[in-house]
Amino acid sequence: MARVLLLHSALGDSRLWRRQIAALEREHHVLAPDLPGFGENPLPTEPFSYVEFAAELLPAVLVGNSFGGAIALRTALAHPDQVERLALVGSGLPAWDWTQEMRAHFDAEGKAFDAGDLDRATELNMEFWVKPEHRDEVRPQQQRALELQSAHEEPELLWPEATPLSTLTMPTLVVVGEDDHADFHAIAEHLAGEIQEAELVVVPGAGHLVGVDQPEELNALLLEFLSE
């Protein structure tokens, strides 16, 4: 039985993992916290670190989607001896050179958020990231997150010093949805090429939220990865 820490996307909260929790908890000890500023976890008022938030729940197998993938990656780089295995699903990557498509989306969403139009910011994210059949599920989670993140001035985010991806030696599963944006295919290929023990899997019929779009496929991949 492995201890598995699931780190969710910025599009919602720990509920995005409900299909994975149900599948994994039969054989493993599963932790799926709300990150600070999401779900039931308010945004701190003092400087804080997502990496140290995750590190407090180690040792574990780390699984992260999107923003949660970027946190999982940075946590594994900062605490490699505490991360047995690493699974990165539609993962973000710090300091990535985003395409114009991505920059335009981030800019539009940021302007709506800064103007206090959280409904507009939410809808922009639904249209850009979430398949139509799942928007009613994800929308309230995203609205909740934006409400928490606009409740007061955002505190300073602390990140550990960046370490080369090539220093990671734990078995790593890199997953990307076939229908995800081009940037995330490029990031997945970069991660799989730089991390020593990495395997890349493209999931047909999935967009950015692989665990929501194709849960059975992701569950099978994770269960196999955990049993190796």
Side-chain angles (χ1 to χ4, degrees):
M1 176 182 280
R3 180 181 170 95
V4 184
L5 176 57
L6 304 174
L7 301 177
H8 62 78
S9 153
L11 291 167
D13 52 51
S14 58
R15 290 172 287 177
L16 290 174
W17 290 119
R18 64 183 178 85
R19 300 164 180 85
Q20 285 65 55
I21 295 167
L24 297 178
E25 67 182 1
R26 297 180 203 129
E27 298 176 24
H28 303 285
H29 175 45
V30 180
L31 301 171
D34 288 332
L35 292 167
F38 298 87
E40 299 301 315
N41 195 350
L43 188 70
T45 55
E46 302 295 322
F48 77 100
S49 166
Y50 286 114
V51 167
E52 290 314 304
F53 172 84
E56 288 178 9
L57 300 171
L58 299 178
V61 173
L62 267 181
V63 182
N65 177 211
S66 189
F67 180 56
I71 296 169
L73 180 65
R74 295 292 288 266
T75 304
L77 287 165
H79 303 277
D81 56 331
Q82 297 283 296
V83 179
E84 182 186 341
R85 287 172 172 267
L86 178 64
L88 303 170
V89 183
S91 181
L93 188 64
W96 185 252
D97 185 15
W98 299 106
T99 60
Q100 179 56 38
E101 178 199 33
M102 295 297 305
R103 290 199 300 270
H105 168 71
F106 292 144
D107 183 56
E109 192 252 357
K111 283 178 177 172
F113 179 83
D114 291 343
D117 191 347
L118 303 187
D119 288 344
R120 168 82 175 145
T122 297
E123 285 313 308
L124 285 168
N125 281 326
M126 292 305 102
E127 291 165 12
F128 194 79
W129 298 109
V130 185
K131 286 181 177 279
E133 61 268 29
H134 300 303
R135 288 175 187 166
D136 286 349
E137 174 185 347
V138 179
R139 184 180 289 109
Q141 299 181 40
Q142 175 72 125
Q143 286 174 322
R144 169 69 176 161
L146 295 181
E147 286 164 7
L148 289 174
Q149 292 159 26
S150 60
H152 56 76
E153 193 169 333
E154 184 179 354
E156 182 187 1
L157 268 181
L158 307 174
W159 294 99
E161 193 169 335
T163 315
L165 295 173
S166 58
T167 61
L168 292 177
T169 58
M170 73 283 291
T172 301
L173 176 65
V174 180
V175 179
V176 66
E178 184 180 41
D179 303 333
D180 204 349
H181 296 283
D183 285 83
F184 291 90
H185 284 269
I187 288 172
E189 289 168 12
H190 178 70
L191 291 169
E194 293 291 321
I195 298 171
Q196 295 183 41
E197 298 292 326
E199 176 192 4
L200 173 60
V201 178
V202 179
V203 177
H208 195 58
L209 299 177
V210 180
V212 175
D213 294 335
Q214 295 293 337
E216 291 182 4
E217 181 70 19
L218 182 61
N219 295 349
L221 285 169
L222 291 174
L223 285 166
E224 182 184 6
F225 182 59
L226 290 165
S227 70
E228 288 171 357

